[in-house]
Amino acid sequence: MNFVVYTKNDCPNCYKVKQVLELTGSDFVMYNLDEHFTREEFYLEFGEGSTFPQVICDDKKLGGCVDTVKFLKEKKVV
């Protein structure tokens, strides 16, 4: 499983999802707001009003931190 995480600075849930992915040994790439993408690009991809982080696993949009942990539990990774 390969993960892509869209984050922003000073985001506690972004930090948590990064920690979880590191602890599970998952492969992931992180993209940061204003460094790798704009807020407008973020909303075009995930929908107006979407919150950070947003996680994609193998082209499947998982959602935020809670949804990602739920997915990892369902896949018996955690």
Side-chain angles (χ1 to χ4, degrees), residues 4-6 17 46 51-57 60-68:
V4 177
V5 183
Y6 290 84
V17 83
F46 298 103
T51 58
F52 288 90
Q54 287 295 315
V55 182
I56 298 174
C57 177
K60 178 183 178 192
K61 293 179 182 173
L62 302 181
C65 186
V66 172
D67 294 322
T68 301

Side-chain angles (χ1 to χ4, degrees), residues 7-9 32-52:
T7 67
K8 68 177 184 174
N9 291 332
N32 199 29
L33 176 66
D34 296 328
E35 185 178 339
H36 300 105
F37 61 92
T38 65
R39 189 169 298 271
E40 184 177 270
E41 291 169 326
F42 179 78
Y43 287 150
L44 283 173
E45 179 69 26
F46 298 103
E48 191 73 30
S50 293
T51 58
F52 288 90

